[in-house]
Amino acid sequence: MMRTRPLKVALLGCGVVGSEVARIMTTHAADLTARIGAPVELAGVAVRRPGRPRPGVPEHLVTTDATELVKRDGIDVVVEVIGGIEPARGLLLSAMEHGASVVSANKALLAQDGAVLHAAAAGAGVDLYYEAAVAGAIPLIRPLRESLAGDKVNRVLGIVNGTTNFILDKMDSTGAGYSEALEEATALGYAEADPTADVEGFDAAAKAAILAGIAFHTRVTAADVYREGITEVTAADIQSARRMGCVVKLLAICERSRDGRSVTARVHPAMIPLSHPLASVREAYNAVFVEAEAAGRLMFYGPGAGGSPTASAVLGDLVAVCRNKIAGATGPGESAYAELPARPMGDVVTRYHVSLDVADRAGVLAQVAMVFAEHGVSIDTVRQQGRDGDASLVVVTHRATDAALSATVDKLRTLDSVRDVASIMRVEGE
């Protein structure tokens, strides 16, 4: 039986994503009603600048008083797409205190204060959904929270930032340097005027924290995630990767330790083989690999950002939350029973590509190899090319800890024969 009283929705933010949410709610109103089992009514839209034109949003719904809106009687769901920590945090806590369920796309807030928000939702008996916080339109959070709830996830590996993937893809396909590729990404709207959050890995690190927490049933915050951006990746690194049959990607990697007693979460550039499915992810697309004990390897692929894709994820959550409201139930909350500690990056084991500028004379290779051996880092391959008294020496290691590799590099820097450690990059995906 169709419920006649509409479910009232408060929208916080009406930018690129928020305006698309409002548009879809209006244009697809009949379909949403049929899918939910009740009408959905946009009750108010909180904005910072009320004078801007917002096609499709009735002027009487626009307000600058977000606090009043989330506390308003009869609000069933609050959709938050403003981003940042405050005032979003306070507004969502207030909304839940007043009985509203929450749909959020706020990765930074969830990565920092997810435990607080989940506790508030549980205490108030409301929902907290956030599919749009990671990888845009790609269904990822709900499969991890629900579809794989009976399985054991061991690893999540993926490209979760479209801006950096676009830049690295252009560097690989055109031979451009980092600055040129960033300039093109900015001109096309893939990069913000201030691209720091993307290119320094903050955006991907927040998403990695959310994914690791859900996948491993433990609390992981952005502070637990090791982070490197792509600003130091050079055209020479891209060329070295191609010579190895690899491509460079900014990866978010979340892993359960082999003994099952700890987890790691990290974001950094890495070389991956061209044979790996992630190597073919081009331009601003995202893709995430999930490795589970029973399900095996699953790949999720699609547009990871943008108004319409992100709004699609928001509306999917809105439908689920509204259905729960009608049923008088709530969906899955936080699952952090495992309480696994996050291991430091120094304990992480992986392969490395180390490029050295050395003196082109006899015995240098043996000297460099001895340093690797002293620190227990086994060498897989070496490539040396001389030029006018200097040489380029590229060493690819077998698997070693980050701490051992760091100690090796520190010792290499002290050798008279080593002019410079030109670059260090991890090798993943094998």
Side-chain angles (χ1 to χ4, degrees), residues 225-248:
V225 181
Y226 174 82
R227 176 190 55 79
E228 287 180 27
I230 66 167
T231 56
E232 300 301 317
V233 176
T234 66
D237 293 327
I238 301 292
Q239 292 168 6
S240 292
R242 298 188 84 176
R243 282 193 288 267
M244 286 179 59
C246 292
V247 66
V248 177

Side-chain angles (χ1 to χ4, degrees), residues 254-427:
C254 311
E255 296 176 304
R256 188 192 301 268
S257 64
R258 291 188 178 183
D259 62 11
R261 297 178 181 175
S262 61
V263 299
T264 58
R266 49 197 168 102
V267 168
H268 54 70
M271 297 179 179
I272 57 173
L274 291 172
S275 58
H276 195 283
L278 290 178
S280 62
V281 178
R282 306 293 301 274
E283 300 208 332
Y285 276 75
N286 283 192
V288 177
F289 244 82
V290 176
E291 298 177 12
E293 203 165 83
R297 304 176 100 196
L298 308 171
M299 184 170 173
F300 301 83
Y301 170 85
S308 294
T310 305
S312 171
V314 169
L315 267 295
D317 279 351
L318 179 62
V319 169
V321 166
C322 286
R323 286 171 174 169
N324 290 343
K325 282 278 184 182
I326 293 172
T330 56
E334 183 185 34
S335 176
Y337 70 90
E339 298 182 344
L340 300 174
R343 282 187 297 153
M345 186 63 186
D347 293 345
V348 171
V349 176
T350 189
R351 298 178 66 210
Y352 294 87
H353 176 281
V354 183
S355 180
L356 306 171
D357 292 335
V358 300
D360 188 14
R361 60 173 184 256
V364 171
L365 178 56
Q367 189 180 27
V368 168
M370 181 63 70
V371 173
F372 277 86
E374 286 174 359
H375 293 88
V377 180
S378 175
I379 293 175
D380 182 17
T381 63
V382 178
R383 185 176 72 251
Q384 184 173 3
Q385 182 177 352
R387 58 178 189 279
D388 301 326
D390 290 324
S392 172
L393 189 65
V394 175
V395 178
V396 179
T397 74
H398 287 291
R399 292 174 67 81
T401 65
D402 190 78
L405 195 281
S406 295
T408 301
V409 170
D410 288 343
K411 182 63 179 290
L412 288 171
R413 295 185 196 276
T414 69
L415 301 181
D416 291 339
S417 57
V418 176
R419 310 285 195 230
D420 185 31
V421 179
S423 71
I424 304 168
M425 191 168 293
R426 295 168 182 87
V427 182

Side-chain angles (χ1 to χ4, degrees), residues 48-109:
R48 292 175 183 169
R49 301 176 181 87
R52 289 185 174 181
R54 293 178 173 85
V57 178
E59 190 173 332
H60 72 276
L61 294 181
V62 176
T63 177
T64 57
D65 193 345
T67 301
E68 183 278 329
L69 178 59
V70 300
K71 292 180 178 180
R72 192 179 297 173
D73 289 342
I75 296 295
D76 295 290
V77 184
V78 170
V79 174
E80 182 266 315
V81 289
I82 56 178
I85 306 301
E86 291 292 354
R89 181 181 185 275
L91 291 170
L92 296 189
L93 290 175
S94 180
M96 290 187 281
E97 183 183 342
H98 285 79
S101 289
V102 165
V103 173
S104 176
N106 195 330
K107 53 191 170 283
L109 178 59

